[in-house]
Amino acid sequence: MKFIETLLVTDKIENLELHNKRMNKTRKDFFSAKPLNLQNYVKIIPNKRVRVTYSKEIEKIEYFDLSKREFKSFKLVYSDIDYHYKYADRTALNALKQPEFDEIIIIKDGFVTDTTISNLAFFNGKVWHTPKNPLLKGTKREELINKGLLIEKDIALSDIKKYKKFAMLNAVIGFYERDIQCISF
């Protein structure tokens, strides 16, 4: 079983502590492995997206130029997928994609979870809510919860239209806001 961590490197590894925490929890759960520190493996090359592939040990580190992607259209997709760990094998997630849309929003058990590449947050005009039970607890999501900028909440499918806008969030894209009208129901 292989897993990945996707990091943003600026003049440092962004959210290093949270990435280490998630990676080491996965390694402990699957391999009873002792903690590692990504800082000892990842080179500081500014403005790179870094993919670390690991199992019990770090297996591969890849560096990519940052490229800005546009997400203009989203499709709601129903699935009972389980993605509590950041598996290297993304076959099940990729199978959910809809080619005519830039990204999908996964609905599980009647509630909003994530996209295939990010957590989500929804703005009601006063506060940002993030799904209480995402597919994967991302590091950017955890950072924003810890700072009090996101509040966890069950977001039912029927709740989506009550929000004014939403955002994709992950380690590389940060906080990417979109209008609710981008979503095809």
Side-chain angles (χ1 to χ4, degrees), residues 1-31:
M1 186 79 52
K2 291 185 182 183
F3 304 91
I4 58 172
E5 279 297 316
T6 306
L7 315 168
L8 174 63
V9 176
T10 56
D11 58 340
K12 63 180 181 177
I13 301 168
E14 297 294 330
N15 275 332
L16 175 63
E17 181 181 320
L18 295 174
H19 284 289
N20 278 331
K21 179 180 169 185
R22 183 172 61 189
M23 177 187 70
N24 286 315
K25 180 187 182 316
T26 300
R27 291 176 58 254
K28 181 180 179 194
D29 291 352
F30 282 84
F31 310 108

PDB file of all heavy atoms in Angstrom, residues 1-31:
ATOM      1  N   MET A   1       0.850  -1.174   0.000  1.00  0.00           N
ATOM      2  CA  MET A   1       0.000   0.000   0.000  1.00  0.00           C
ATOM      3  C   MET A   1       0.895   1.236   0.000  1.00  0.00           C
ATOM      4  O   MET A   1       1.805   1.349   0.813  1.00  0.00           O
ATOM      5  CB  MET A   1      -0.869  -0.043   1.244  1.00  0.00           C
ATOM      6  CG  MET A   1      -1.905   1.021   1.342  1.00  0.00           C
ATOM      7  SD  MET A   1      -3.425   0.812   0.397  1.00  0.00           S
ATOM      8  CE  MET A   1      -3.977  -0.806   0.873  1.00  0.00           C
ATOM      9  N   LYS A   2       0.612   2.154  -0.925  1.00  0.00           N
ATOM     10  CA  LYS A   2       1.377   3.393  -1.022  1.00  0.00           C
ATOM     11  C   LYS A   2       0.456   4.582  -0.811  1.00  0.00           C
ATOM     12  O   LYS A   2      -0.721   4.547  -1.158  1.00  0.00           O
ATOM     13  CB  LYS A   2       2.059   3.497  -2.382  1.00  0.00           C
ATOM     14  CG  LYS A   2       3.162   2.487  -2.564  1.00  0.00           C
ATOM     15  CD  LYS A   2       3.886   2.695  -3.858  1.00  0.00           C
ATOM     16  CE  LYS A   2       4.945   1.620  -3.992  1.00  0.00           C
ATOM     17  NZ  LYS A   2       5.737   1.793  -5.195  1.00  0.00           N
ATOM     18  N   PHE A   3       1.051   5.647  -0.285  1.00  0.00           N
ATOM     19  CA  PHE A   3       0.324   6.872   0.035  1.00  0.00           C
ATOM     20  C   PHE A   3       1.111   8.055  -0.483  1.00  0.00           C
ATOM     21  O   PHE A   3       2.290   7.932  -0.816  1.00  0.00           O
ATOM     22  CB  PHE A   3       0.139   6.984   1.557  1.00  0.00           C
ATOM     23  CG  PHE A   3      -0.544   5.792   2.140  1.00  0.00           C
ATOM     24  CD1 PHE A   3       0.193   4.705   2.596  1.00  0.00           C
ATOM     25  CD2 PHE A   3      -1.922   5.729   2.206  1.00  0.00           C
ATOM     26  CE1 PHE A   3      -0.442   3.587   3.115  1.00  0.00           C
ATOM     27  CE2 PHE A   3      -2.564   4.625   2.732  1.00  0.00           C
ATOM     28  CZ  PHE A   3      -1.820   3.543   3.186  1.00  0.00           C
ATOM     29  N   ILE A   4       0.449   9.235  -0.527  1.00  0.00           N
ATOM     30  CA  ILE A   4       1.140  10.444  -0.971  1.00  0.00           C
ATOM     31  C   ILE A   4       0.835  11.608  -0.033  1.00  0.00           C
ATOM     32  O   ILE A   4      -0.189  11.635   0.636  1.00  0.00           O
ATOM     33  CB  ILE A   4       0.758  10.858  -2.411  1.00  0.00           C
ATOM     34  CG1 ILE A   4      -0.754  11.092  -2.544  1.00  0.00           C
ATOM     35  CG2 ILE A   4       1.261   9.845  -3.424  1.00  0.00           C
ATOM     36  CD1 ILE A   4      -1.184  11.682  -3.870  1.00  0.00           C
ATOM     37  N   GLU A   5       1.752  12.531   0.014  1.00  0.00           N
ATOM     38  CA  GLU A   5       1.546  13.856   0.584  1.00  0.00           C
ATOM     39  C   GLU A   5       1.884  14.830  -0.536  1.00  0.00           C
ATOM     40  O   GLU A   5       2.911  14.680  -1.210  1.00  0.00           O
ATOM     41  CB  GLU A   5       2.459  14.124   1.782  1.00  0.00           C
ATOM     42  CG  GLU A   5       1.994  13.546   3.085  1.00  0.00           C
ATOM     43  CD  GLU A   5       0.674  14.121   3.579  1.00  0.00           C
ATOM     44  OE1 GLU A   5       0.477  15.351   3.518  1.00  0.00           O
ATOM     45  OE2 GLU A   5      -0.165  13.334   4.023  1.00  0.00           O
ATOM     46  N   THR A   6       1.027  15.805  -0.747  1.00  0.00           N
ATOM     47  CA  THR A   6       1.275  16.840  -1.736  1.00  0.00           C
ATOM     48  C   THR A   6       1.545  18.127  -0.977  1.00  0.00           C
ATOM     49  O   THR A   6       0.712  18.574  -0.196  1.00  0.00           O
ATOM     50  CB  THR A   6       0.065  17.003  -2.677  1.00  0.00           C
ATOM     51  OG1 THR A   6      -0.244  15.732  -3.245  1.00  0.00           O
ATOM     52  CG2 THR A   6       0.379  17.999  -3.778  1.00  0.00           C
ATOM     53  N   LEU A   7       2.711  18.684  -1.207  1.00  0.00           N
ATOM     54  CA  LEU A   7       3.177  19.842  -0.446  1.00  0.00           C
ATOM     55  C   LEU A   7       3.348  21.053  -1.341  1.00  0.00           C
ATOM     56  O   LEU A   7       3.635  20.922  -2.524  1.00  0.00           O
ATOM     57  CB  LEU A   7       4.541  19.537   0.186  1.00  0.00           C
ATOM     58  CG  LEU A   7       4.743  18.194   0.869  1.00  0.00           C
ATOM     59  CD1 LEU A   7       6.217  17.978   1.160  1.00  0.00           C
ATOM     60  CD2 LEU A   7       3.935  18.148   2.135  1.00  0.00           C
ATOM     61  N   LEU A   8       3.219  22.218  -0.742  1.00  0.00           N
ATOM     62  CA  LEU A   8       3.580  23.465  -1.399  1.00  0.00           C
ATOM     63  C   LEU A   8       4.862  23.944  -0.752  1.00  0.00           C
ATOM     64  O   LEU A   8       4.943  24.061   0.475  1.00  0.00           O
ATOM     65  CB  LEU A   8       2.485  24.517  -1.228  1.00  0.00           C
ATOM     66  CG  LEU A   8       2.816  25.924  -1.756  1.00  0.00           C
ATOM     67  CD1 LEU A   8       3.026  25.896  -3.265  1.00  0.00           C
ATOM     68  CD2 LEU A   8       1.719  26.908  -1.379  1.00  0.00           C
ATOM     69  N   VAL A   9       5.859  24.207  -1.598  1.00  0.00           N
ATOM     70  CA  VAL A   9       7.122  24.750  -1.094  1.00  0.00           C
ATOM     71  C   VAL A   9       7.256  26.170  -1.602  1.00  0.00           C
ATOM     72  O   VAL A   9       7.189  26.432  -2.806  1.00  0.00           O
ATOM     73  CB  VAL A   9       8.329  23.894  -1.537  1.00  0.00           C
ATOM     74  CG1 VAL A   9       9.640  24.527  -1.074  1.00  0.00           C
ATOM     75  CG2 VAL A   9       8.213  22.470  -0.998  1.00  0.00           C
ATOM     76  N   THR A  10       7.395  27.092  -0.671  1.00  0.00           N
ATOM     77  CA  THR A  10       7.675  28.493  -1.003  1.00  0.00           C
ATOM     78  C   THR A  10       9.121  28.711  -0.579  1.00  0.00           C
ATOM     79  O   THR A  10      10.014  28.114  -1.164  1.00  0.00           O
ATOM     80  CB  THR A  10       6.686  29.436  -0.279  1.00  0.00           C
ATOM     81  OG1 THR A  10       6.749  29.194   1.129  1.00  0.00           O
ATOM     82  CG2 THR A  10       5.266  29.236  -0.795  1.00  0.00           C
ATOM     83  N   ASP A  11       9.333  29.485   0.454  1.00  0.00           N
ATOM     84  CA  ASP A  11      10.675  29.575   1.040  1.00  0.00           C
ATOM     85  C   ASP A  11      10.819  28.557   2.165  1.00  0.00           C
ATOM     86  O   ASP A  11      11.831  28.504   2.847  1.00  0.00           O
ATOM     87  CB  ASP A  11      10.964  30.988   1.542  1.00  0.00           C
ATOM     88  CG  ASP A  11       9.958  31.460   2.583  1.00  0.00           C
ATOM     89  OD1 ASP A  11       8.847  30.892   2.643  1.00  0.00           O
ATOM     90  OD2 ASP A  11      10.286  32.399   3.339  1.00  0.00           O
ATOM     91  N   LYS A  12       9.760  27.756   2.340  1.00  0.00           N
ATOM     92  CA  LYS A  12       9.715  26.681   3.341  1.00  0.00           C
ATOM     93  C   LYS A  12       8.650  25.686   2.895  1.00  0.00           C
ATOM     94  O   LYS A  12       7.943  25.922   1.912  1.00  0.00           O
ATOM     95  CB  LYS A  12       9.345  27.255   4.712  1.00  0.00           C
ATOM     96  CG  LYS A  12       7.948  27.874   4.744  1.00  0.00           C
ATOM     97  CD  LYS A  12       7.596  28.426   6.110  1.00  0.00           C
ATOM     98  CE  LYS A  12       6.171  28.994   6.066  1.00  0.00           C
ATOM     99  NZ  LYS A  12       5.738  29.479   7.350  1.00  0.00           N
ATOM    100  N   ILE A  13       8.527  24.593   3.610  1.00  0.00           N
ATOM    101  CA  ILE A  13       7.445  23.645   3.359  1.00  0.00           C
ATOM    102  C   ILE A  13       6.226  24.163   4.114  1.00  0.00           C
ATOM    103  O   ILE A  13       6.245  24.248   5.344  1.00  0.00           O
ATOM    104  CB  ILE A  13       7.810  22.224   3.843  1.00  0.00           C
ATOM    105  CG1 ILE A  13       9.065  21.722   3.142  1.00  0.00           C
ATOM    106  CG2 ILE A  13       6.632  21.268   3.615  1.00  0.00           C
ATOM    107  CD1 ILE A  13       9.646  20.461   3.768  1.00  0.00           C
ATOM    108  N   GLU A  14       5.204  24.560   3.373  1.00  0.00           N
ATOM    109  CA  GLU A  14       4.002  25.112   3.993  1.00  0.00           C
ATOM    110  C   GLU A  14       3.264  24.015   4.773  1.00  0.00           C
ATOM    111  O   GLU A  14       3.158  22.887   4.302  1.00  0.00           O
ATOM    112  CB  GLU A  14       3.080  25.717   2.932  1.00  0.00           C
ATOM    113  CG  GLU A  14       3.693  26.883   2.184  1.00  0.00           C
ATOM    114  CD  GLU A  14       3.931  28.110   3.065  1.00  0.00           C
ATOM    115  OE1 GLU A  14       3.171  28.315   4.028  1.00  0.00           O
ATOM    116  OE2 GLU A  14       4.882  28.865   2.778  1.00  0.00           O
ATOM    117  N   ASN A  15       2.785  24.379   5.949  1.00  0.00           N
ATOM    118  CA  ASN A  15       2.027  23.456   6.807  1.00  0.00           C
ATOM    119  C   ASN A  15       2.785  22.164   7.118  1.00  0.00           C
ATOM    120  O   ASN A  15       2.192  21.083   7.212  1.00  0.00           O
ATOM    121  CB  ASN A  15       0.667  23.119   6.196  1.00  0.00           C
ATOM    122  CG  ASN A  15      -0.370  24.150   6.531  1.00  0.00           C
ATOM    123  OD1 ASN A  15      -0.308  24.810   7.557  1.00  0.00           O
ATOM    124  ND2 ASN A  15      -1.338  24.301   5.642  1.00  0.00           N
ATOM    125  N   LEU A  16       4.092  22.281   7.294  1.00  0.00           N
ATOM    126  CA  LEU A  16       4.940  21.116   7.536  1.00  0.00           C
ATOM    127  C   LEU A  16       4.425  20.254   8.692  1.00  0.00           C
ATOM    128  O   LEU A  16       4.323  19.038   8.566  1.00  0.00           O
ATOM    129  CB  LEU A  16       6.386  21.558   7.822  1.00  0.00           C
ATOM    130  CG  LEU A  16       7.365  20.455   8.221  1.00  0.00           C
ATOM    131  CD1 LEU A  16       7.530  19.451   7.090  1.00  0.00           C
ATOM    132  CD2 LEU A  16       8.705  21.064   8.617  1.00  0.00           C
ATOM    133  N   GLU A  17       4.082  20.884   9.800  1.00  0.00           N
ATOM    134  CA  GLU A  17       3.643  20.129  10.977  1.00  0.00           C
ATOM    135  C   GLU A  17       2.395  19.290  10.678  1.00  0.00           C
ATOM    136  O   GLU A  17       2.301  18.129  11.089  1.00  0.00           O
ATOM    137  CB  GLU A  17       3.362  21.096  12.131  1.00  0.00           C
ATOM    138  CG  GLU A  17       2.920  20.413  13.407  1.00  0.00           C
ATOM    139  CD  GLU A  17       2.622  21.414  14.516  1.00  0.00           C
ATOM    140  OE1 GLU A  17       3.363  22.408  14.653  1.00  0.00           O
ATOM    141  OE2 GLU A  17       1.636  21.186  15.236  1.00  0.00           O
ATOM    142  N   LEU A  18       1.448  19.869   9.950  1.00  0.00           N
ATOM    143  CA  LEU A  18       0.215  19.145   9.632  1.00  0.00           C
ATOM    144  C   LEU A  18       0.454  18.017   8.631  1.00  0.00           C
ATOM    145  O   LEU A  18      -0.164  16.955   8.726  1.00  0.00           O
ATOM    146  CB  LEU A  18      -0.855  20.111   9.132  1.00  0.00           C
ATOM    147  CG  LEU A  18      -1.333  21.137  10.161  1.00  0.00           C
ATOM    148  CD1 LEU A  18      -2.288  22.131   9.530  1.00  0.00           C
ATOM    149  CD2 LEU A  18      -1.959  20.454  11.365  1.00  0.00           C
ATOM    150  N   HIS A  19       1.351  18.237   7.668  1.00  0.00           N
ATOM    151  CA  HIS A  19       1.702  17.161   6.723  1.00  0.00           C
ATOM    152  C   HIS A  19       2.403  16.018   7.456  1.00  0.00           C
ATOM    153  O   HIS A  19       2.097  14.842   7.227  1.00  0.00           O
ATOM    154  CB  HIS A  19       2.578  17.688   5.596  1.00  0.00           C
ATOM    155  CG  HIS A  19       1.831  18.474   4.569  1.00  0.00           C
ATOM    156  ND1 HIS A  19       0.956  17.903   3.681  1.00  0.00           N
ATOM    157  CD2 HIS A  19       1.823  19.807   4.307  1.00  0.00           C
ATOM    158  CE1 HIS A  19       0.442  18.837   2.900  1.00  0.00           C
ATOM    159  NE2 HIS A  19       0.958  20.010   3.261  1.00  0.00           N
ATOM    160  N   ASN A  20       3.353  16.364   8.336  1.00  0.00           N
ATOM    161  CA  ASN A  20       4.033  15.328   9.119  1.00  0.00           C
ATOM    162  C   ASN A  20       3.034  14.542   9.964  1.00  0.00           C
ATOM    163  O   ASN A  20       3.108  13.307  10.045  1.00  0.00           O
ATOM    164  CB  ASN A  20       5.099  15.945  10.035  1.00  0.00           C
ATOM    165  CG  ASN A  20       6.397  16.225   9.322  1.00  0.00           C
ATOM    166  OD1 ASN A  20       6.760  15.548   8.360  1.00  0.00           O
ATOM    167  ND2 ASN A  20       7.110  17.229   9.792  1.00  0.00           N
ATOM    168  N   LYS A  21       2.114  15.247  10.583  1.00  0.00           N
ATOM    169  CA  LYS A  21       1.114  14.606  11.444  1.00  0.00           C
ATOM    170  C   LYS A  21       0.281  13.592  10.653  1.00  0.00           C
ATOM    171  O   LYS A  21       0.081  12.458  11.085  1.00  0.00           O
ATOM    172  CB  LYS A  21       0.221  15.683  12.067  1.00  0.00           C
ATOM    173  CG  LYS A  21      -0.876  15.162  12.958  1.00  0.00           C
ATOM    174  CD  LYS A  21      -1.692  16.340  13.509  1.00  0.00           C
ATOM    175  CE  LYS A  21      -2.961  15.889  14.183  1.00  0.00           C
ATOM    176  NZ  LYS A  21      -3.795  17.038  14.597  1.00  0.00           N
ATOM    177  N   ARG A  22      -0.240  14.018   9.481  1.00  0.00           N
ATOM    178  CA  ARG A  22      -1.070  13.114   8.678  1.00  0.00           C
ATOM    179  C   ARG A  22      -0.262  11.939   8.149  1.00  0.00           C
ATOM    180  O   ARG A  22      -0.690  10.794   8.214  1.00  0.00           O
ATOM    181  CB  ARG A  22      -1.735  13.871   7.528  1.00  0.00           C
ATOM    182  CG  ARG A  22      -2.658  12.950   6.722  1.00  0.00           C
ATOM    183  CD  ARG A  22      -3.486  13.669   5.709  1.00  0.00           C
ATOM    184  NE  ARG A  22      -2.667  14.345   4.714  1.00  0.00           N
ATOM    185  CZ  ARG A  22      -3.140  15.191   3.816  1.00  0.00           C
ATOM    186  NH1 ARG A  22      -4.425  15.483   3.801  1.00  0.00           N
ATOM    187  NH2 ARG A  22      -2.349  15.760   2.938  1.00  0.00           N
ATOM    188  N   MET A  23       0.933  12.214   7.610  1.00  0.00           N
ATOM    189  CA  MET A  23       1.762  11.140   7.073  1.00  0.00           C
ATOM    190  C   MET A  23       2.114  10.134   8.160  1.00  0.00           C
ATOM    191  O   MET A  23       2.009   8.918   7.966  1.00  0.00           O
ATOM    192  CB  MET A  23       3.051  11.709   6.463  1.00  0.00           C
ATOM    193  CG  MET A  23       4.000  10.625   5.959  1.00  0.00           C
ATOM    194  SD  MET A  23       5.607  11.263   5.429  1.00  0.00           S
ATOM    195  CE  MET A  23       6.319  11.736   7.003  1.00  0.00           C
ATOM    196  N   ASN A  24       2.526  10.615   9.317  1.00  0.00           N
ATOM    197  CA  ASN A  24       2.944   9.703  10.383  1.00  0.00           C
ATOM    198  C   ASN A  24       1.773   8.942  10.992  1.00  0.00           C
ATOM    199  O   ASN A  24       1.938   7.793  11.408  1.00  0.00           O
ATOM    200  CB  ASN A  24       3.756  10.459  11.436  1.00  0.00           C
ATOM    201  CG  ASN A  24       5.140  10.775  10.914  1.00  0.00           C
ATOM    202  OD1 ASN A  24       5.805   9.918  10.325  1.00  0.00           O
ATOM    203  ND2 ASN A  24       5.584  12.006  11.084  1.00  0.00           N
ATOM    204  N   LYS A  25       0.592   9.514  10.999  1.00  0.00           N
ATOM    205  CA  LYS A  25      -0.588   8.773  11.447  1.00  0.00           C
ATOM    206  C   LYS A  25      -0.861   7.619  10.481  1.00  0.00           C
ATOM    207  O   LYS A  25      -1.120   6.489  10.889  1.00  0.00           O
ATOM    208  CB  LYS A  25      -1.815   9.681  11.549  1.00  0.00           C
ATOM    209  CG  LYS A  25      -3.055   8.918  12.025  1.00  0.00           C
ATOM    210  CD  LYS A  25      -4.307   9.749  11.983  1.00  0.00           C
ATOM    211  CE  LYS A  25      -5.532   9.022  12.484  1.00  0.00           C
ATOM    212  NZ  LYS A  25      -5.731   7.663  12.041  1.00  0.00           N
ATOM    213  N   THR A  26      -0.798   7.902   9.189  1.00  0.00           N
ATOM    214  CA  THR A  26      -1.000   6.861   8.176  1.00  0.00           C
ATOM    215  C   THR A  26       0.048   5.766   8.325  1.00  0.00           C
ATOM    216  O   THR A  26      -0.284   4.570   8.328  1.00  0.00           O
ATOM    217  CB  THR A  26      -0.936   7.469   6.762  1.00  0.00           C
ATOM    218  OG1 THR A  26      -1.961   8.455   6.634  1.00  0.00           O
ATOM    219  CG2 THR A  26      -1.111   6.406   5.694  1.00  0.00           C
ATOM    220  N   ARG A  27       1.309   6.158   8.456  1.00  0.00           N
ATOM    221  CA  ARG A  27       2.398   5.176   8.587  1.00  0.00           C
ATOM    222  C   ARG A  27       2.221   4.335   9.852  1.00  0.00           C
ATOM    223  O   ARG A  27       2.470   3.136   9.849  1.00  0.00           O
ATOM    224  CB  ARG A  27       3.752   5.889   8.585  1.00  0.00           C
ATOM    225  CG  ARG A  27       4.094   6.503   7.225  1.00  0.00           C
ATOM    226  CD  ARG A  27       5.395   7.300   7.214  1.00  0.00           C
ATOM    227  NE  ARG A  27       6.508   6.462   7.619  1.00  0.00           N
ATOM    228  CZ  ARG A  27       7.117   6.539   8.812  1.00  0.00           C
ATOM    229  NH1 ARG A  27       6.729   7.419   9.720  1.00  0.00           N
ATOM    230  NH2 ARG A  27       8.120   5.741   9.089  1.00  0.00           N
ATOM    231  N   LYS A  28       1.774   4.952  10.931  1.00  0.00           N
ATOM    232  CA  LYS A  28       1.546   4.218  12.174  1.00  0.00           C
ATOM    233  C   LYS A  28       0.369   3.256  12.022  1.00  0.00           C
ATOM    234  O   LYS A  28       0.446   2.091  12.413  1.00  0.00           O
ATOM    235  CB  LYS A  28       1.280   5.195  13.324  1.00  0.00           C
ATOM    236  CG  LYS A  28       1.069   4.503  14.651  1.00  0.00           C
ATOM    237  CD  LYS A  28       0.814   5.503  15.760  1.00  0.00           C
ATOM    238  CE  LYS A  28       0.574   4.741  17.063  1.00  0.00           C
ATOM    239  NZ  LYS A  28      -0.003   5.592  18.092  1.00  0.00           N
ATOM    240  N   ASP A  29      -0.733   3.735  11.420  1.00  0.00           N
ATOM    241  CA  ASP A  29      -1.925   2.909  11.248  1.00  0.00           C
ATOM    242  C   ASP A  29      -1.670   1.688  10.368  1.00  0.00           C
ATOM    243  O   ASP A  29      -2.194   0.605  10.632  1.00  0.00           O
ATOM    244  CB  ASP A  29      -3.071   3.727  10.640  1.00  0.00           C
ATOM    245  CG  ASP A  29      -3.631   4.776  11.589  1.00  0.00           C
ATOM    246  OD1 ASP A  29      -3.252   4.789  12.786  1.00  0.00           O
ATOM    247  OD2 ASP A  29      -4.451   5.595  11.126  1.00  0.00           O
ATOM    248  N   PHE A  30      -0.878   1.841   9.313  1.00  0.00           N
ATOM    249  CA  PHE A  30      -0.663   0.756   8.360  1.00  0.00           C
ATOM    250  C   PHE A  30       0.599  -0.061   8.622  1.00  0.00           C
ATOM    251  O   PHE A  30       0.634  -1.244   8.310  1.00  0.00           O
ATOM    252  CB  PHE A  30      -0.623   1.296   6.927  1.00  0.00           C
ATOM    253  CG  PHE A  30      -1.981   1.590   6.375  1.00  0.00           C
ATOM    254  CD1 PHE A  30      -2.602   2.800   6.635  1.00  0.00           C
ATOM    255  CD2 PHE A  30      -2.655   0.653   5.615  1.00  0.00           C
ATOM    256  CE1 PHE A  30      -3.867   3.077   6.147  1.00  0.00           C
ATOM    257  CE2 PHE A  30      -3.920   0.907   5.110  1.00  0.00           C
ATOM    258  CZ  PHE A  30      -4.528   2.124   5.383  1.00  0.00           C
ATOM    259  N   PHE A  31       1.640   0.557   9.158  1.00  0.00           N
ATOM    260  CA  PHE A  31       2.941  -0.110   9.248  1.00  0.00           C
ATOM    261  C   PHE A  31       3.558  -0.097  10.636  1.00  0.00           C
ATOM    262  O   PHE A  31       4.671  -0.591  10.817  1.00  0.00           O
ATOM    263  CB  PHE A  31       3.933   0.543   8.272  1.00  0.00           C
ATOM    264  CG  PHE A  31       3.392   0.697   6.879  1.00  0.00           C
ATOM    265  CD1 PHE A  31       3.044   1.951   6.390  1.00  0.00           C
ATOM    266  CD2 PHE A  31       3.217  -0.405   6.055  1.00  0.00           C
ATOM    267  CE1 PHE A  31       2.540   2.104   5.110  1.00  0.00           C
ATOM    268  CE2 PHE A  31       2.713  -0.262   4.776  1.00  0.00           C
ATOM    269  CZ  PHE A  31       2.373   0.994   4.302  1.00  0.00           C
TER     270      PHE A  31
END
